Structure formats: C-alpha cells, structure tokens
Amino acid sequence: QCQLSGLWRNEQDSLMEISAVGNNGDFQGKYLTRVTLAGGCARASPLTGAQQQPGEGSWPTFAFTVRWDRFSNATTAFAGQCFVDTGGKETLTTMWLLREAVGSLEEDWKATR
C-alpha cells in the first residue's frame, strides 16, 4: 500500500510534506520549491488535495494544488499516482500545469506552462 502522507523530495530538490490523508481522501500540506519563476528564495506554500481511494491491488491516484502567493502570482495543479516497487520504495509520478497571472486576455497564450 502506498501512503501519501509524509515528506517527499523531487528531482529538483523541492520538498513536499503531506499531512495525514482523511478517510474521504482529502489532505493538506506544504510545498517548498527550489525552482521559482522570479529566481528568488522560495518559502513553504500551502497545498490542498484529494486521493482517490485505491481498489484492491491498485495504486492510488491523487491531485493537489499549490498556491505560490507568498512569492509569486501563480498556482500549480498536480495530478499523479503513487507506486511501490518490489523493494518497498514509494514513488509519486505527477504531471503539472502552472498558471501565472497575466495583465490582459491578449497575453493569455503565455500564462500556462
């Protein structure tokens, strides 16, 4: 069984801490990114998400959002799945979309990465 709660580190050395996952799959936590749009020092940002309760023999899927409002006017949405390899190592795989605020509808094309 894969447990989302705990401390996670990604390839960019960013840290994510997820509190206990509730019975309904909801969770909260903090994300400390090492990669910033402004190039400055990042602070821990709040994250909120939900885990789909896994069926028998399957690995859970999940989604969460991070508000970067303490140092950036952007929000990121992550969606992924948790796996456990034969050695017992837990791994999260995710895809993300980052939405940065822009000043006009004409600039909308460059707002999502």
Side-chain angles (χ1 to χ4, degrees), residues 70-88:
R70 295 184 184 174
F71 61 91
S72 173
N73 193 5
T75 302
T76 303
F78 293 81
Q81 189 169 3
C82 188
F83 296 97
V84 180
D85 68 15
T86 55

PDB file of all heavy atoms in Angstrom, residues 70-88:
ATOM      1  N   ARG A  70       2.824  33.572  -1.814  1.00  0.00           N
ATOM      2  CA  ARG A  70       3.748  34.256  -0.898  1.00  0.00           C
ATOM      3  C   ARG A  70       4.943  34.846  -1.629  1.00  0.00           C
ATOM      4  O   ARG A  70       5.624  35.705  -1.114  1.00  0.00           O
ATOM      5  CB  ARG A  70       4.219  33.301   0.186  1.00  0.00           C
ATOM      6  CG  ARG A  70       3.078  32.874   1.082  1.00  0.00           C
ATOM      7  CD  ARG A  70       3.552  32.018   2.201  1.00  0.00           C
ATOM      8  NE  ARG A  70       2.392  31.574   2.971  1.00  0.00           N
ATOM      9  CZ  ARG A  70       2.473  30.724   3.951  1.00  0.00           C
ATOM     10  NH1 ARG A  70       3.629  30.215   4.315  1.00  0.00           N
ATOM     11  NH2 ARG A  70       1.394  30.365   4.601  1.00  0.00           N
ATOM     12  N   PHE A  71       5.232  34.369  -2.836  1.00  0.00           N
ATOM     13  CA  PHE A  71       6.355  34.915  -3.584  1.00  0.00           C
ATOM     14  C   PHE A  71       6.094  35.003  -5.086  1.00  0.00           C
ATOM     15  O   PHE A  71       6.933  35.469  -5.839  1.00  0.00           O
ATOM     16  CB  PHE A  71       7.632  34.095  -3.349  1.00  0.00           C
ATOM     17  CG  PHE A  71       7.512  32.658  -3.785  1.00  0.00           C
ATOM     18  CD1 PHE A  71       7.868  32.269  -5.057  1.00  0.00           C
ATOM     19  CD2 PHE A  71       7.038  31.701  -2.901  1.00  0.00           C
ATOM     20  CE1 PHE A  71       7.756  30.960  -5.450  1.00  0.00           C
ATOM     21  CE2 PHE A  71       6.931  30.385  -3.289  1.00  0.00           C
ATOM     22  CZ  PHE A  71       7.292  30.012  -4.573  1.00  0.00           C
ATOM     23  N   SER A  72       4.928  34.546  -5.528  1.00  0.00           N
ATOM     24  CA  SER A  72       4.615  34.559  -6.955  1.00  0.00           C
ATOM     25  C   SER A  72       3.104  34.625  -7.132  1.00  0.00           C
ATOM     26  O   SER A  72       2.354  34.122  -6.308  1.00  0.00           O
ATOM     27  CB  SER A  72       5.156  33.276  -7.599  1.00  0.00           C
ATOM     28  OG  SER A  72       4.738  33.168  -8.932  1.00  0.00           O
ATOM     29  N   ASN A  73       2.656  35.209  -8.229  1.00  0.00           N
ATOM     30  CA  ASN A  73       1.231  35.285  -8.532  1.00  0.00           C
ATOM     31  C   ASN A  73       0.875  34.134  -9.473  1.00  0.00           C
ATOM     32  O   ASN A  73       0.493  34.341 -10.616  1.00  0.00           O
ATOM     33  CB  ASN A  73       0.889  36.635  -9.148  1.00  0.00           C
ATOM     34  CG  ASN A  73      -0.605  36.863  -9.191  1.00  0.00           C
ATOM     35  OD1 ASN A  73      -1.376  36.061  -8.683  1.00  0.00           O
ATOM     36  ND2 ASN A  73      -1.009  37.940  -9.816  1.00  0.00           N
ATOM     37  N   ALA A  74       1.060  32.905  -8.984  1.00  0.00           N
ATOM     38  CA  ALA A  74       0.813  31.717  -9.801  1.00  0.00           C
ATOM     39  C   ALA A  74       0.220  30.610  -8.931  1.00  0.00           C
ATOM     40  O   ALA A  74       0.333  30.630  -7.709  1.00  0.00           O
ATOM     41  CB  ALA A  74       2.110  31.235 -10.439  1.00  0.00           C
ATOM     42  N   THR A  75      -0.416  29.654  -9.600  1.00  0.00           N
ATOM     43  CA  THR A  75      -0.979  28.470  -8.960  1.00  0.00           C
ATOM     44  C   THR A  75      -0.597  27.270  -9.813  1.00  0.00           C
ATOM     45  O   THR A  75      -0.570  27.360 -11.040  1.00  0.00           O
ATOM     46  CB  THR A  75      -2.517  28.563  -8.884  1.00  0.00           C
ATOM     47  OG1 THR A  75      -2.856  29.733  -8.159  1.00  0.00           O
ATOM     48  CG2 THR A  75      -3.117  27.355  -8.206  1.00  0.00           C
ATOM     49  N   THR A  76      -0.292  26.144  -9.168  1.00  0.00           N
ATOM     50  CA  THR A  76       0.036  24.927  -9.913  1.00  0.00           C
ATOM     51  C   THR A  76      -0.905  23.810  -9.501  1.00  0.00           C
ATOM     52  O   THR A  76      -1.177  23.625  -8.319  1.00  0.00           O
ATOM     53  CB  THR A  76       1.497  24.494  -9.664  1.00  0.00           C
ATOM     54  OG1 THR A  76       2.367  25.565 -10.017  1.00  0.00           O
ATOM     55  CG2 THR A  76       1.850  23.269 -10.490  1.00  0.00           C
ATOM     56  N   ALA A  77      -1.387  23.067 -10.505  1.00  0.00           N
ATOM     57  CA  ALA A  77      -2.216  21.887 -10.267  1.00  0.00           C
ATOM     58  C   ALA A  77      -1.407  20.652 -10.653  1.00  0.00           C
ATOM     59  O   ALA A  77      -0.805  20.609 -11.729  1.00  0.00           O
ATOM     60  CB  ALA A  77      -3.485  21.953 -11.097  1.00  0.00           C
ATOM     61  N   PHE A  78      -1.356  19.689  -9.758  1.00  0.00           N
ATOM     62  CA  PHE A  78      -0.632  18.431  -9.977  1.00  0.00           C
ATOM     63  C   PHE A  78      -1.640  17.288 -10.009  1.00  0.00           C
ATOM     64  O   PHE A  78      -2.606  17.279  -9.245  1.00  0.00           O
ATOM     65  CB  PHE A  78       0.327  18.148  -8.818  1.00  0.00           C
ATOM     66  CG  PHE A  78       1.474  19.104  -8.681  1.00  0.00           C
ATOM     67  CD1 PHE A  78       1.307  20.329  -8.062  1.00  0.00           C
ATOM     68  CD2 PHE A  78       2.736  18.771  -9.143  1.00  0.00           C
ATOM     69  CE1 PHE A  78       2.367  21.208  -7.899  1.00  0.00           C
ATOM     70  CE2 PHE A  78       3.806  19.643  -8.986  1.00  0.00           C
ATOM     71  CZ  PHE A  78       3.619  20.862  -8.366  1.00  0.00           C
ATOM     72  N   ALA A  79      -1.410  16.298 -10.853  1.00  0.00           N
ATOM     73  CA  ALA A  79      -2.189  15.057 -10.851  1.00  0.00           C
ATOM     74  C   ALA A  79      -1.200  13.910 -10.992  1.00  0.00           C
ATOM     75  O   ALA A  79      -0.223  14.008 -11.739  1.00  0.00           O
ATOM     76  CB  ALA A  79      -3.189  15.033 -11.997  1.00  0.00           C
ATOM     77  N   GLY A  80      -1.422  12.826 -10.247  1.00  0.00           N
ATOM     78  CA  GLY A  80      -0.457  11.746 -10.316  1.00  0.00           C
ATOM     79  C   GLY A  80      -0.951  10.451  -9.718  1.00  0.00           C
ATOM     80  O   GLY A  80      -2.131  10.280  -9.407  1.00  0.00           O
ATOM     81  N   GLN A  81       0.004   9.550  -9.549  1.00  0.00           N
ATOM     82  CA  GLN A  81      -0.273   8.239  -8.983  1.00  0.00           C
ATOM     83  C   GLN A  81       0.910   7.831  -8.122  1.00  0.00           C
ATOM     84  O   GLN A  81       2.054   8.193  -8.388  1.00  0.00           O
ATOM     85  CB  GLN A  81      -0.500   7.214 -10.103  1.00  0.00           C
ATOM     86  CG  GLN A  81      -1.005   5.888  -9.606  1.00  0.00           C
ATOM     87  CD  GLN A  81      -1.464   4.976 -10.733  1.00  0.00           C
ATOM     88  OE1 GLN A  81      -1.371   5.300 -11.905  1.00  0.00           O
ATOM     89  NE2 GLN A  81      -1.968   3.815 -10.363  1.00  0.00           N
ATOM     90  N   CYS A  82       0.625   7.056  -7.087  1.00  0.00           N
ATOM     91  CA  CYS A  82       1.636   6.567  -6.157  1.00  0.00           C
ATOM     92  C   CYS A  82       1.909   5.092  -6.459  1.00  0.00           C
ATOM     93  O   CYS A  82       0.977   4.318  -6.674  1.00  0.00           O
ATOM     94  CB  CYS A  82       1.117   6.737  -4.733  1.00  0.00           C
ATOM     95  SG  CYS A  82       2.338   6.389  -3.461  1.00  0.00           S
ATOM     96  N   PHE A  83       3.188   4.710  -6.494  1.00  0.00           N
ATOM     97  CA  PHE A  83       3.588   3.325  -6.756  1.00  0.00           C
ATOM     98  C   PHE A  83       4.557   2.846  -5.684  1.00  0.00           C
ATOM     99  O   PHE A  83       5.254   3.648  -5.076  1.00  0.00           O
ATOM    100  CB  PHE A  83       4.292   3.215  -8.115  1.00  0.00           C
ATOM    101  CG  PHE A  83       3.427   3.544  -9.290  1.00  0.00           C
ATOM    102  CD1 PHE A  83       3.460   4.814  -9.842  1.00  0.00           C
ATOM    103  CD2 PHE A  83       2.593   2.603  -9.845  1.00  0.00           C
ATOM    104  CE1 PHE A  83       2.673   5.135 -10.935  1.00  0.00           C
ATOM    105  CE2 PHE A  83       1.798   2.902 -10.943  1.00  0.00           C
ATOM    106  CZ  PHE A  83       1.844   4.177 -11.479  1.00  0.00           C
ATOM    107  N   VAL A  84       4.623   1.548  -5.481  1.00  0.00           N
ATOM    108  CA  VAL A  84       5.612   0.929  -4.604  1.00  0.00           C
ATOM    109  C   VAL A  84       6.335  -0.133  -5.420  1.00  0.00           C
ATOM    110  O   VAL A  84       5.694  -1.009  -6.011  1.00  0.00           O
ATOM    111  CB  VAL A  84       4.950   0.275  -3.368  1.00  0.00           C
ATOM    112  CG1 VAL A  84       6.010  -0.369  -2.473  1.00  0.00           C
ATOM    113  CG2 VAL A  84       4.145   1.287  -2.580  1.00  0.00           C
ATOM    114  N   ASP A  85       7.691  -0.046  -5.484  1.00  0.00           N
ATOM    115  CA  ASP A  85       8.432  -1.038  -6.259  1.00  0.00           C
ATOM    116  C   ASP A  85       8.637  -2.315  -5.444  1.00  0.00           C
ATOM    117  O   ASP A  85       8.224  -2.397  -4.277  1.00  0.00           O
ATOM    118  CB  ASP A  85       9.751  -0.463  -6.777  1.00  0.00           C
ATOM    119  CG  ASP A  85      10.774  -0.171  -5.690  1.00  0.00           C
ATOM    120  OD1 ASP A  85      10.625  -0.649  -4.544  1.00  0.00           O
ATOM    121  OD2 ASP A  85      11.744   0.550  -5.992  1.00  0.00           O
ATOM    122  N   THR A  86       9.275  -3.304  -6.023  1.00  0.00           N
ATOM    123  CA  THR A  86       9.444  -4.600  -5.361  1.00  0.00           C
ATOM    124  C   THR A  86      10.310  -4.499  -4.103  1.00  0.00           C
ATOM    125  O   THR A  86      10.217  -5.347  -3.226  1.00  0.00           O
ATOM    126  CB  THR A  86      10.059  -5.637  -6.318  1.00  0.00           C
ATOM    127  OG1 THR A  86      11.292  -5.109  -6.832  1.00  0.00           O
ATOM    128  CG2 THR A  86       9.108  -5.942  -7.465  1.00  0.00           C
ATOM    129  N   GLY A  87      11.130  -3.446  -4.005  1.00  0.00           N
ATOM    130  CA  GLY A  87      11.944  -3.233  -2.817  1.00  0.00           C
ATOM    131  C   GLY A  87      11.235  -2.448  -1.731  1.00  0.00           C
ATOM    132  O   GLY A  87      11.809  -2.185  -0.677  1.00  0.00           O
ATOM    133  N   GLY A  88       9.990  -2.035  -1.977  1.00  0.00           N
ATOM    134  CA  GLY A  88       9.225  -1.291  -0.991  1.00  0.00           C
ATOM    135  C   GLY A  88       9.356   0.215  -1.085  1.00  0.00           C
ATOM    136  O   GLY A  88       8.794   0.940  -0.274  1.00  0.00           O
TER     137      GLY A  88
END
